Amino acid sequence: MALYNIIHFLEEALNNIRRNTFVAAITVGTIGIAFLIFGIFLIIFSNLNDITSTWKEQIQVVSYLKDGLSNAEIISIEDKIKSEREINSVAFISKEKALSEFRKDLSSQTGLLEGLGENPLPAYFEIRLKKAYQDPKSILSLVDRLKKIKGIEEVQYGQEWVENLSSFLDFLMIAGMIVGGLISLAVILIVSNTVKLTVYARKEDIEIMKLIGATDWFVKAPFLIEGMAIGFLGSLMSVILLFGIYQIIVQNLPLNAGLLFGRFSIAFLSWPDIVVLLIAGVLLGLFGSFVSVGRFLKV
Amino acid sequence: MIQMFHVSKYYDKNFPALRDISLEINKGDFVFVMGPSGAGKSTLLKLIFCAERADEGQILIQGRNIARLSDSKIPYLRRNLGVVFQDYKLLQSRTIYENIAFSLKVCGVSNNEIKRRVYFVLKQVGLEHKSDSFPIRLSGGEQQRAAIARAIVNEPAILIADEPTGNLDYNMSVEIFEILKDINVRGTTVIVATHNREIVSKMQRRIISLDKGKIVSN
Ligand SMILES: Nc1ncnc2c1ncn2[C@@H]1O[C@H](COP(=O)(O)OP(=O)(O)OP(=O)(O)O)[C@@H](O)[C@H]1O
Ligand SMILES: [Mg+2]
């Protein structure tokens, strides 16, 4: 009985799509375009997010040391720095190394340094942070603690850059949430309503089936399968279109355009994103038909 | 077979569509329900197949009280009743064969058995040659015969028809009533609401007359 029913339901769903090919095609198309818009947003947003995380990786904190510290004192300062939980790596740059790097940077103007005699540059630690702490708040609190370590003269962390980045990230998050939320809402409404329309067009059929003695589930199941199939096809179509558009854009992008953003390529949706998109299509189709068939079952 | 005790139906609190109806219809009966428009004929029939529920009173069908039948049990009641409507109510996107077969699919009948029984009833109503046609390609009389075939394919104990000839001309109507008579002769209880006095008086069967929701003669 159960197997008989499942076969019947699949048959019915397939036949329904076949009987209403035109409506089904339009529904798939509408859902596809709704998801396409959402997909475009997702690609832009996740690429922006990637870019900002490469920016964040460039954040570094530099701790300048007082002159005249012994090796033992320097090692103890390094240990203290390393004991902070935010630290990913610490590199020591001695006075001599600082000077030679400075020379390298200013190689054309070596004359500037000739008259100095004594090396004026301090030794310093170059500190990189763990991913989870690459945000302004964590940096500020770390800087506060570093400043208190005896032997550290000054701490620099590109204050302006970090603050700009921080407000840009806040803006991006809020804008992303608003735009993403609105688009998601639109997609939910469009998909469930287009599926609803296909059911409404057959509300008389639903009533007739009930009058003949069909149970609610017997009427409902094929519609649910149909809704899921149409939702799936719609979201699948959007992924295919999205990939086509992506390919066209990537191939026509000037080679150095990527450098503007500090990276070399625009990424397509990740596999998990694609799977989520397809599942969303299936679920919205299911939801749309579930709600609308239910409305006509009371006969 | 069907018993009603003091049944009332109110769509509107002040004007009952049916008032204190008590009646009994026996197995094998052929009964006409008559009365002016708005008398409550359709309502009376709808109560039997639970398209409407009684507000007062009890209704027994084959000894079972349906007054408190839960919604989820209604489909099983309907499988034991055949219903024919004035507007046929065929599924437009399905062939005549598929329309009739649906009635059996609902009950989980096997495909071979469905084939056998659908062709049997198609022959009974004289529509074998139209089995693969869609309803829209059939005349009104043919569509109604298809609807009757669908109603009887489950071999129900009771056949209910609400103005089955309301949209048909005289000759077609006679044809339809012949088929209903035939079905009744085979043992099915038949209840028909109709305005067609001419045919009713010719057929000489029991008549339940309604007016303003009350039985005026039985
Ligand atoms: N769904 C409904 N909602 C409200 N009132 C209804 C409904 N169905 C019927 N009525 C009312 O109940 C009364 C009886 O209607 P019913 O359809 O049973 O009459 P009828 O005898 O079948 O008439 P007709 O010969 O025109 O088909 C009428 O006054 C009608 O307006
Ligand atoms: Mg009526």
Side-chain angles (χ1 to χ4, degrees), chain B:
Chain B
M1 179 116 300
I2 299 176
Q3 291 164 294
M4 295 196 181
F5 301 101
H6 309 293
V7 169
S8 297
K9 172 70 190 177
Y10 297 86
Y11 294 111
D12 178 320
K13 263 188 203 135
N14 306 312
F15 304 102
L18 291 175
R19 237 183 315 169
D20 196 26
I21 301 285
S22 295
L23 56 81
E24 178 159 11
I25 294 169
N26 294 314
K27 189 167 158 48
D29 278 0
F30 193 117
V31 183
F32 286 112
V33 179
M34 298 196 68
S37 186
K41 306 181 294 294
S42 296
T43 305
L44 183 75
L45 299 188
K46 282 178 183 166
L47 291 181
I48 299 172
F49 59 92
C50 287
E52 296 290 349
R53 310 303 292 270
D55 294 310
E56 290 164 7
Q58 310 296 323
I59 301 173
L60 300 183
I61 294 178
Q62 296 179 294
R64 259 194 310 153
N65 193 336
I66 63 163
R68 267 175 217 83
L69 195 68
S70 72
D71 283 356
S72 62
K73 297 257 170 61
I74 292 175
Y76 304 97
L77 169 80
R78 286 178 182 163
R79 290 175 197 180
N80 208 14
L81 303 171
V83 186
V84 176
F85 306 89
Q86 179 173 354
D87 58 354
Y88 325 127
K89 293 206 189 296
L90 295 168
L91 301 166
Q92 294 301 320
S93 59
R94 296 173 199 232
T95 64
I96 296 305
Y97 178 92
E98 288 167 338
N99 264 281
I100 299 169
F102 193 85
S103 232
L104 294 169
K105 283 205 167 153
V106 157
C107 307
V109 177
S110 75
N111 278 334
N112 281 335
E113 179 71 4
I114 287 176
K115 209 175 261 174
R116 196 183 67 72
R117 279 161 71 172
V118 171
Y119 282 113
F120 181 78
V121 288
L122 277 173
K123 214 188 278 170
Q124 204 176 334
V125 298
L127 277 184
E128 309 99 295
H129 56 298
K130 297 286 186 186
S131 73
D132 291 330
S133 303
F134 286 90
I136 197 151
R137 300 251 170 259
L138 268 55
S139 73
E142 287 169 334
Q143 288 190 53
Q144 193 58 295
R145 270 144 59 195
I148 292 173
R150 179 182 63 188
I152 60 173
V153 74
N154 273 329
E155 298 171 353
I158 302 165
L159 181 69
I160 298 162
D162 191 358
E163 303 198 33
T165 59
N167 292 341
L168 303 178
D169 67 21
Y170 182 78
N171 288 332
M172 288 254 199
S173 304
V174 171
E175 214 178 298
I176 294 295
F177 276 105
E178 282 304 318
I179 293 171
L180 293 179
K181 212 159 80 180
D182 217 48
I183 292 164
N184 177 241
V185 169
R186 290 167 193 241
T188 306
T189 306
V190 178
I191 306 165
V192 189
T194 181
H195 284 294
N196 207 324
R197 297 193 165 278
E198 212 172 327
I199 293 177
V200 170
S201 60
K202 234 188 240 169
M203 283 182 61
Q204 303 273 334
R205 301 295 170 123
R206 178 178 166 197
I207 299 171
I208 296 171
S209 289
L210 291 176
D211 192 13
K212 296 187 185 113
K214 288 192 82 95
I215 293 181
V216 290
S217 76
N218 186 348

Side-chain angles (χ1 to χ4, degrees), chain A residues 13-14 16-18 20-32 35 190-192 194-199 202 222-238 278 280-286 289:
Chain A
L14 203 70
N16 281 340
I17 292 175
R18 220 172 27 117
N20 309 289
T21 333
F22 184 67
V23 176
I26 289 192
T27 314
V28 168
T30 311
I31 294 172
F35 271 107
I190 290 169
V191 174
S192 54
T194 29
V195 171
K196 259 186 210 172
L197 287 181
T198 71
V199 176
R202 282 173 282 161
F223 279 99
L224 300 186
I225 295 171
E226 192 186 329
M228 290 192 287
I230 283 180
F232 176 76
L233 289 177
S235 51
L236 183 66
M237 188 184 108
S238 78
L278 294 178
V282 171
L283 290 182
L284 284 178
L286 178 69
S289 42

